[in-house]
Every structure is written in C-alpha cells, then in structure tokens.
Amino acid sequence: MTISSQRSTAPPAVSLSSLTMAYRTREGGEYTAVRNIDLTIPRGRFLSVVGPTGCGKSTILNAIAGLRTPSAGSVEIDGRMLGGLNKAAGYMFQSDALLPWMTVVDNVALGLQLRGVAAAERRNQAMAWLRRVGLAGFEKSYPHQLSGGMRKRTAVAQTWIVDPGILLMDEPFGALDVQTRQIMENELLALWTGSGKTVVFVTHDLDEAVSLSDEVVLLSAGPASTIVGRYEIDLPRPRDLMDIRTRPEFTEIYARIWSDLREEVMKTYERTARVDA
Ligand code: ADP
Ligand code: MG
C-alpha cells in the first residue's frame, strides 16, 4: 500500500460536524460561543485556528479535548465519536501547567506516573526528553528557578512524553518575549516534523499561524462564531522561521488572510466598544 492510499483510507484525526457550543450565563440565559462548525483535520496536519478575542477558539479546543460536551453536533477522534476525555490528545496552555513543588524531571515524568510507569523507567524517559528540549542539567531545578522559555520547554516535554497523537495548543507561546517565542516555534516545528502528530494550534497572532501551519482556519466574530475562511499554506518545508517571514509567498498569503481577519476584528471591536460606552 502506498502512503497516499493509506492516507485516503485512514479516518481523520479530528472531525467536527455541525458543532455548536453554548454556555449558561450567570443570568440563567444561554450564550452560543460557536455554531455549526464543520472541520475535518487529517492525521499529521498542522492546523491553526485564528480569530478575534472571545470568538471561541479555546471553546473549540475544549470540545476536541473532551473537556466540554457539545450542545449540538459531534466530535469524532480517529473515526470514533468522542464520549468523554480525549485520551489521544495532549493539551498545552498559555500558562504552563507545571507543579511548583515538583522538580523539572518529576514534572516531565508526571504523565507517565499517572499511567503507572515504574519509577526508573519514567525517570529514564524524562531525562531523555530533557536532553531533547535542551534542559539537560536542570532536572533537579524547580519551575520557579527557570526562565519563561525553559518553563515552556519543560511543558513541551511534559506534553510530548506520553506520545499523544493529537496536540492541542492554546496560545502556548503567547506570554514569551518575541525572540524566545521564535526559538520555541522553531523547536516545536523540529519536534513535529516527521512525528505524524496532528496539531491544532490556537493563536491570535496571524504571523505565527501562517509560519507554522499547513492550514489556517478563520473564525468570525462572536457570538455564534462560524468558520469564515480556510487557507492552505503551501510554503515549503522544512521551514526556517527566522527567514520565512521575509519571503514574498509569505507576505502574500498573510495579506490575504489579514484582510479577512481584520474585518472580524473590527466587528468585535465595534461590539465591545458599544458595550463599554
Ligand atoms: P477565545 O479563546 O477565542 O478568546 P473562548 O473560547 O475563550 O474565546 O470564549 C468564547 C466566548 O464564550 C466568549 O465570549 C467567552 O466569554 C464565552 N465563554 C467562555 N467560557 C465560558 C464559560 N465557562 N461560561 C460562560 N461563557 C464562556
Ligand atoms: Mg482563548
């Protein structure tokens, strides 16, 4: 069997059908965050979701993670209806989820510990991951002793060590300074390349979305956001993020998506400005 025929028969990693997610408001009403989302993500794809603040990007990730049940529609993972927590997915947030009382190596090994892997084995694997993310020698440190970039590397190792097929990343590098962020983006791409893992990456930063992804999905301004644009990013790989942003193809696709995104951002701005007035 050739690779391409395998691809066409394998079920997609993630498939959202008419997904609607609503929240109960404090006043007892209902707020529909996203409505009728149809999105199929083939295995191994790096897909980013962009859209204005509050449009429901995190809500969609939570649905894929199985942290919230759909109000309507469905989430399928590897061809099977998701009925609870998505065990195939690893989740990375903007604020890293490191435990402050645990050393770096114990933080990285946490997922293996929860899966009942023996102490010696999980330490071996955690040490190997620390070397892989450039943190050899820091295993005995505590999270507060690390820089922002080092904490991010620890969080990456913590997420990847359990080998999830799907990575859900919610503005993971948003809190980093520009240079550290670019280094982390490069490292993420290096890890992902050839891994076969599916990445769903949420960011409000279009630049980041375009430079990392195979595809960018644009959500409309809320409430009841829907997908208003899907863009293939066919920039060549492997990509060097240090210079990709200066390529004319990059500038062109960026400008195309930005003109659509800008419209949605302005709608959100006008709505919130009215509320604030
Ligand atoms: P984004 O990640 O794109 O900024 P979110 O998915 O966090 O947006 O939120 C989408 C909308 O749903 C926002 O208007 C937000 O206020 C609302 N929302 C999110 N979580 C809750 C919740 N637990 N209860 C009520 N409303 C929520
Ligand atoms: Mg969010």
Side-chain angles (χ1 to χ4, degrees):
M1 204 189 259
T2 66
I3 286 172
S4 66
S5 68
Q6 261 173 6
R7 265 203 198 126
S8 60
T9 53
V14 178
S15 179
L16 309 178
S17 309
S18 309
L19 177 72
T20 298
M21 302 285 290
Y23 293 104
R24 197 150 289 290
T25 61
R26 259 173 298 177
E27 296 77 30
E30 219 182 45
Y31 180 86
T32 303
V34 299
R35 180 182 288 158
N36 276 335
I37 303 281
D38 288 308
L39 181 64
T40 297
I41 313 174
R43 240 176 252 185
R45 176 156 277 227
F46 199 123
L47 180 135
S48 287
V49 179
V50 297
T53 310
C55 71
K57 301 182 293 296
S58 299
T59 298
I60 290 176
L61 279 197
N62 288 340
I64 299 173
L67 293 171
R68 268 186 185 273
T69 341
S71 311
S74 65
V75 178
E76 279 180 35
I77 303 300
D78 294 323
R80 277 198 297 272
M81 190 78 82
L82 184 62
L85 265 192
N86 181 351
K87 297 207 178 82
Y91 211 142
M92 235 183 113
F93 307 91
Q94 178 168 347
S95 57
D96 52 59
L98 303 180
L99 299 177
W101 61 88
M102 277 191 177
T103 59
V104 164
V105 68
D106 287 343
N107 263 289
V108 171
L110 194 60
L112 297 179
Q113 189 179 352
L114 296 174
R115 280 165 174 75
V117 176
E121 171 61 18
R122 60 180 192 251
R123 188 185 161 78
N124 280 344
Q125 287 193 37
M127 292 300 283
W129 265 101
L130 287 176
R131 282 193 294 276
R132 210 156 159 193
V133 297
L135 284 178
F138 290 93
E139 58 274 10
K140 293 197 186 111
S141 302
Y142 286 87
H144 75 270
Q145 297 171 308
L146 305 180
S147 70
M150 289 159 84
R151 275 202 301 275
K152 240 353 125 183
R153 291 202 174 97
T154 309
V156 167
Q158 190 184 54
T159 313
W160 285 63
I161 197 169
V162 295
D163 197 25
I166 302 169
L167 286 147
L168 306 174
M169 309 186 84
D170 195 350
E171 311 206 21
F173 307 138
L176 299 175
D177 63 80
V178 179
Q179 290 85 13
T180 310
R181 182 174 182 157
Q182 212 168 82
I183 291 167
M184 288 307 302
E185 289 166 358
N186 256 327
E187 290 183 4
L188 171 64
L189 275 194
L191 272 181
W192 170 77
T193 302
S195 71
K197 294 184 191 300
T198 310
V199 180
V200 189
F201 192 97
V202 160
T203 176
H204 59 259
D205 182 344
L206 183 55
D207 194 279
E208 182 174 50
V210 172
S211 45
L212 295 176
S213 310
D214 297 317
E215 178 179 358
V216 173
V217 168
L218 171 62
L219 290 181
S220 64
S225 307
T226 52
I227 294 177
V228 289
R230 296 185 68 163
Y231 311 84
E232 281 291 320
I233 313 295
D234 48 18
L235 297 168
R237 295 195 189 269
R239 297 179 188 169
D240 180 358
L241 301 184
M242 302 293 173
D243 68 25
I244 198 169
R245 290 161 171 101
T246 60
R247 294 174 75 116
E249 311 97 282
F250 179 95
T251 322
E252 192 195 324
I253 183 78
Y254 180 95
R256 196 148 65 81
I257 306 174
W258 173 241
S259 80
D260 296 346
L261 173 58
R262 187 178 177 281
E263 223 174 283
E264 301 305 327
V265 170
M266 288 315 289
K267 279 185 210 157
T268 300
Y269 174 71
E270 280 158 19
R271 276 172 206 163
T272 51
R274 240 177 293 148
V275 173
D276 292 342

